[in-house]
Amino acid sequence: MTVGVGVIGTGMIGTQHVHRLSRAVVGSSVAAVFDVASDRAAALAQEVGARAAGSWSDLVEDPQVDAVMVASPGDLHAEQVLACLAAGKPVLCEKPLATTADDALKVVEAEVAAGRRLVQVGFMRRYDAGFRDVKAAIDAGEIGEPLLAHAVHRNPSVPDTFVGEMSLTDSLVHEFDTFRWLFAQEIVATTVIAVRHSPLASHLRDPQIVLLELANGAVVDAESFVNCRYGYDVRCEVVGSTGTVALDNPRTTIVLGDGRRGEQVPPDWGVRFGQAYQDELQAWIDALAGGATVAPGASDAWDGYAAISVAETAVASFTRHGRAEVRLADKPRLYTGEGRS
Ligand code: NAP
């Protein structure tokens, strides 16, 4: 069975996903695409043999579209995902699930009303080999009880449209999902610590450090630095009661020359996590072809809701210059072990 995917949003990552789904993922084809930049969407549709839909709702209703990938700007995600749920179609929504916790909760409530999970959220680190090894080491008890973690998330630069809070809602939202997943604990409070600003990005409060308190008392310190200039750098170390597990950048060639020994840093997220996006899409398509609606171990609507709730709390902490507590709704049975379908 070939899964026909409709892709909403053919910007930077949407175009990459269209290429993967049409060329590299086994068992999928791109049935339709939509973007408000209609010329770009039409050219991409022609390139991969898809239909250029007239609107995103037209794409969702298209009978050739078995499942939908949402890669539009974040503030459109909730509305588009809700339309997929109304049409009964599985949907892989790029992060964030919504830009407010209230909107993300509406998605959770719609799924609960429908009685089944249809939504997967694009936190692709759960498919990154390095992060999976960290998770496996923790789950196998190799470091004893995980107690704390240090995390670094640096981008070389960001566009002018990137404003202060986006470090929390767009960038560190990955860490919020990652550490909930690695520790299998909800994040219950955040404290954003003001740091001396980089003079190279004076319009941003950059870098920032966020302390995350988890439900069992573990603590994570996460640095966001979105104008570090030298490359894309995502690392972490989890400290346990009997050992630690650390994730470095993927191993690269060591160059010795000019009196120095050095290795390359990935230039951007597309290079660092390219294989993770591929594996994420393949796992989704395999799940759909096998009759499931969400890939095993993937972030679901609850995870998307929890991550944006933490981001929203971190924004409150940033604004108030103090600790803020995360307030989550009660977790519906649909998302707990026994209720998960
Ligand atoms: P982008 O390059 O701006 O692409 C978004 C596209 O959606 C643009 O072509 C935009 O057109 C279009 N669009 C605007 N309104 C639309 C509508 N009503 N319906 C459909 N499409 C519409 O942004 P991006 O970097 O690809 O990011 C897209 C999403 O992916 C964001 O939520 C982002 O956070 C996420 N993302 C995730 C990762 C990850 O690591 N998982 C990495 C990158 C991005 P205009 O430009 O004309 O507005």
Side-chain angles (χ1 to χ4, degrees), residues 7-17 34-38 40 55-56 70-77 79-80 93-97 99 122-125 166 169-171 173-174 232 269-270 273 277 280:
V7 179
I8 304 176
T10 56
M12 199 160 39
I13 200 159
T15 298
Q16 291 186 13
H17 286 328
F34 172 75
D35 196 293
V36 286
S38 53
R40 174 159 12 106
S55 68
W56 64 260
V70 172
S72 55
D75 57 348
L76 302 170
H77 290 183
E79 184 188 8
Q80 293 171 343
C93 178
E94 259 309 338
K95 62 83 188 163
L97 175 59
T99 46
F123 286 120
M124 75 298 170
R125 288 186 188 179
M166 289 177 77
T169 58
D170 233 63
S171 188
V173 73
H174 279 292
Y232 183 77
W269 46 264
F273 286 113
Y277 295 118
E280 171 189 49

